[in-house]
């Protein structure tokens, strides 16, 4: 419920509806919020449930899905992150979260 309220406040609620028409940039913003606020146990439970449904989710799949959600205006960044050769999803997400925090700090200082 808290997540829905936060997404609604940020005009991102549509991103969690099936067959939505949200932009990839909005989807990424929503996923970053959800990722930050999900309990670690719940994160692994979601992956486990997908595996139980017959879908095997590999690190490569998660990395590719993350790269494919970069906004079209950030193609260069996408390529740079791909070239870093991440092999674990958690490594990439950690780097992206730090980059986001740095960007927020730069914007505040600007």
């Amino acid at each position: 419920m808290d997540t829905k309220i936060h997404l609604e406040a940020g005009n991102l609620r549509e991103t969690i509806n099936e067959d939505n028409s949200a932009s990839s940039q909005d989807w990424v913003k929503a996923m970053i919020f959800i990722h930050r606020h999900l309990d670690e146990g719940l994160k692994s439970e979601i992956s486990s449930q997908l595996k139980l449904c017959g879908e095997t989710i590999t690190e490569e799949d998660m990395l590719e899905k993350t790269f494919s959600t970069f906004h079209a205006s950030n193609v260069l960044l996408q390529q740079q992150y791909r070239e870093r050769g991440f092999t674990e999803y958690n490594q990439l997400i950690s780097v992206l979260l730090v980059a986001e925090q740095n960007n927020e700090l730069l914007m505040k200082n600007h």
Side-chain angles (χ1 to χ4, degrees), residues 25-44:
Q25 185 175 14
D26 284 346
W27 186 85
V28 170
K29 287 178 187 176
M31 289 300 104
I32 288 171
F33 171 78
I34 291 169
H35 177 73
R36 280 186 183 166
H37 293 88
L38 276 180
D39 178 78
E40 195 59 45
L42 183 57
K43 290 177 191 176
S44 59

Side-chain angles (χ1 to χ4, degrees), residues 33-106:
F33 171 78
I34 291 169
H35 177 73
R36 280 186 183 166
H37 293 88
L38 276 180
D39 178 78
E40 195 59 45
L42 183 57
K43 290 177 191 176
S44 59
E45 184 180 323
I46 291 170
S47 292
S48 298
Q49 286 178 357
L50 286 171
K51 289 176 185 174
L52 288 174
C53 291
E55 291 187 42
T56 303
I57 308 300
T58 65
E59 292 287 321
E60 186 177 312
D61 292 336
M62 292 190 297
L63 288 166
E64 184 56 40
K65 182 63 176 176
T66 304
F67 291 135
S68 68
T69 60
F70 274 60
H71 191 269
S73 65
N74 292 325
V75 171
L76 183 58
L77 280 175
Q78 178 195 61
Q79 291 172 343
Q80 289 172 341
Y81 283 115
R82 280 183 190 275
E83 288 175 5
R84 290 186 62 178
F86 290 100
T87 57
E88 292 183 22
Y89 175 74
N90 289 337
Q91 292 172 334
L92 173 62
I93 292 302
S94 294
V95 169
L96 290 174
L97 289 173
V98 168
E100 180 186 34
Q101 291 170 347
N102 288 340
N103 284 341
E104 289 174 6
L105 183 61
L106 285 171

